[in-house]
C-alpha cells in the first residue's frame, strides 16, 4: 500500500510499505523509475525537496536516517546515518 505522495516539478513521488519510492511523470502518469532504498531498517517517514538542490529529494526514515537522491539519475548522493 502507498503510505505517502509528494509532488515535485514534473514528477509525482509515492512511497510504500516496502520502502520503495516510485517516481511518475506528472503529465503521462507513467512510472519513470523506482528507488529501492536497500536498507532493511530504512522505513520512509517523509520526503522533501531542498529548494536549492536541482532534481534532488531528501528521504527521511522513522529511525532518523536521511538519504539524498537525484531523481533524474536515480543515484543516491549522500547517506546520513548512524
Amino acid at each position: 500500500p502507498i503510505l505517502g505522495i509528494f509532488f515535485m516539478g514534473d514528477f509525482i513521488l509515492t512511497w510504500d510499505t516496502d520502502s520503495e519510492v516510485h517516481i511518475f511523470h506528472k503529465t503521462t502518469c507513467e512510472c519513470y523509475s523506482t528507488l529501492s532504498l536497500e536498507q532493511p531498517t530504512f522505513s520512509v517517514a517523509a520526503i522533501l525537496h531542498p529548494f536549492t538542490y536541482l532534481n534532488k529529494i531528501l528521504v527521511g526514515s522513522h529511525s532518523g536516517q536521511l538519504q539524498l537522491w537525484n531523481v533524474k539519475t536515480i543515484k543516491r548522493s549522500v547517506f546520513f546515518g548512524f
Side-chain angles (χ1 to χ4, degrees):
I2 293 175
L3 296 177
I5 188 167
F6 182 77
F7 296 91
M8 183 187 106
D10 294 334
F11 299 107
I12 300 170
L13 294 85
T14 64
W15 61 93
D16 58 27
T17 54
D18 295 328
S19 285
E20 290 186 332
V21 177
H22 305 279
I23 304 168
F24 299 90
H25 284 284
K26 192 185 294 184
T27 54
T28 64
C29 294
E30 290 183 26
C31 187
Y32 171 73
S33 190
T34 300
L35 305 177
S36 296
L37 301 176
E38 299 178 18
Q39 300 289 336
T41 59
F42 197 95
S43 175
V44 178
I47 293 178
L48 65 87
H49 168 60
F51 183 68
T52 58
Y53 286 62
L54 186 62
N55 302 320
K56 303 271 191 318
I57 58 168
L58 187 63
V59 183
S61 75
H62 288 283
S63 64
Q65 298 168 329
L66 299 170
Q67 295 185 21
L68 184 66
W69 284 82
N70 184 315
V71 296
K72 289 276 190 176
T73 62
I74 313 302
K75 293 189 185 214
R76 186 174 72 187
S77 303
V78 182
F79 175 77
F80 305 95
F82 42 88

